[in-house]
Amino acid sequence: MKLQQVVSSWAVTGDPEEDKSLGVYGIAFDGVNFWLTARARGRLYKFTVATESFSMVATDGRDGWTNIIYHQSFIYVATEYALLKVNPATDAYSYIPLPHGWYYGLVPFGDRVLIVDLLNGKLLEVDPTTGSYVERVSDLRRPLNMALSGSTLYIAENVGQGQMELYGWYPAIVTVDVNAWSYTRHNVTMSGSPYGIGAFEYAGTTY
């Protein structure tokens, strides 16, 4: 058995005690440096590999900065009210306004980005160049994270005990045909509720 070993660790702000309250959530790699979101305080940090140091690039002081991806030379961050777009070469950033919600899952989709709204149960397709968006799916039940494999999008519905008792919902995986934008819900039996999700193909089968 090969054991894994932690070789280095760094405090995000330089203050380990403050790190405990930041709620570091998402991580992405732009090919040179790492980027992290702090959910609890609405912050985006860059970890510069060459100097092994952190710097805060953007913040709004509000809770809800969650998932993060690197796509076509830009960093994208899901927030409560917008998609944050960052140029990693200059650290310049801008906000793409979205309807008020609580955005979590992000996946690249051609030259666009797909994002889900946990609060309102919607899937949006965002054009980062124009700042426009299209609602592709509604009536989702606490959509949290996503994975895209070919023309099928997989969405984890993070339904808890409260929603089960109040609405009769169940934890589920939703499969979306991104050509027709039709979807099917597959209830799952597990201890807890789906949170993260991944998809890969092996020997002609998608798992």
Side-chain angles (χ1 to χ4, degrees):
M1 177 184 295
K2 183 178 180 180
L3 299 178
Q4 304 300 313
Q5 181 179 1
V6 176
V7 294
S8 298
S9 63
W10 300 269
V12 174
T13 62
D15 181 353
E17 291 305 312
E18 183 183 13
D19 290 349
K20 294 176 183 178
S21 64
L22 284 176
V24 174
Y25 193 92
I27 186 169
F29 181 58
D30 66 12
V32 179
N33 300 308
F34 289 93
W35 298 76
L36 301 93
T37 53
R39 172 180 170 180
R41 301 184 187 179
R43 296 178 180 179
L44 174 66
Y45 291 94
K46 178 169 73 172
F47 177 72
T48 302
V49 174
T51 59
E52 297 187 355
S53 61
F54 285 93
S55 58
M56 185 169 65
V57 174
T59 182
D60 66 357
R62 299 167 59 175
D63 290 351
W65 289 31
T66 54
N67 285 308
I68 178 172
I69 60 172
Y70 177 68
H71 178 47
Q72 294 190 337
S73 302
F74 287 93
I75 291 289
Y76 294 97
V77 178
T79 78
E80 283 190 355
Y81 58 90
L83 181 63
L84 179 69
K85 179 181 179 180
V86 184
N87 183 338
T90 64
D91 293 354
Y93 64 90
S94 60
Y95 293 95
I96 300 172
L98 298 174
H100 182 266
W102 198 347
Y103 295 93
Y104 266 83
L106 286 171
V107 293
F109 186 63
D111 60 354
R112 304 193 175 193
V113 174
L114 296 178
I115 186 169
V116 284
D117 177 0
L118 173 74
L119 182 64
N120 299 301
K122 296 181 178 181
L123 169 68
L124 305 182
E125 179 184 345
V126 182
D127 184 337
T129 302
T130 65
S132 61
Y133 61 87
V134 177
E135 181 182 312
R136 290 302 187 185
V137 177
S138 60
D139 198 34
L140 296 171
R141 302 169 180 176
R142 289 181 53 81
L144 202 59
N145 283 302
M146 302 187 292
L148 181 65
S149 178
S151 61
T152 302
L153 179 70
Y154 299 85
I155 305 176
E157 291 191 322
N158 185 246
V159 174
Q161 189 64 36
Q163 291 83 29
M164 292 175 67
E165 295 174 356
L166 186 60
Y167 304 117
W169 295 352
Y170 291 92
I173 302 298
V174 172
T175 54
V176 181
D177 180 340
V178 298
N179 292 319
W181 298 110
S182 57
Y183 71 91
T184 304
R185 176 171 289 111
H186 310 270
N187 291 342
V188 297
T189 301
M190 58 185 296
S191 177
S193 189
Y195 197 94
I197 188 168
F200 65 94
E201 292 187 5
Y202 176 74
T205 301
T206 299
Y207 297 90

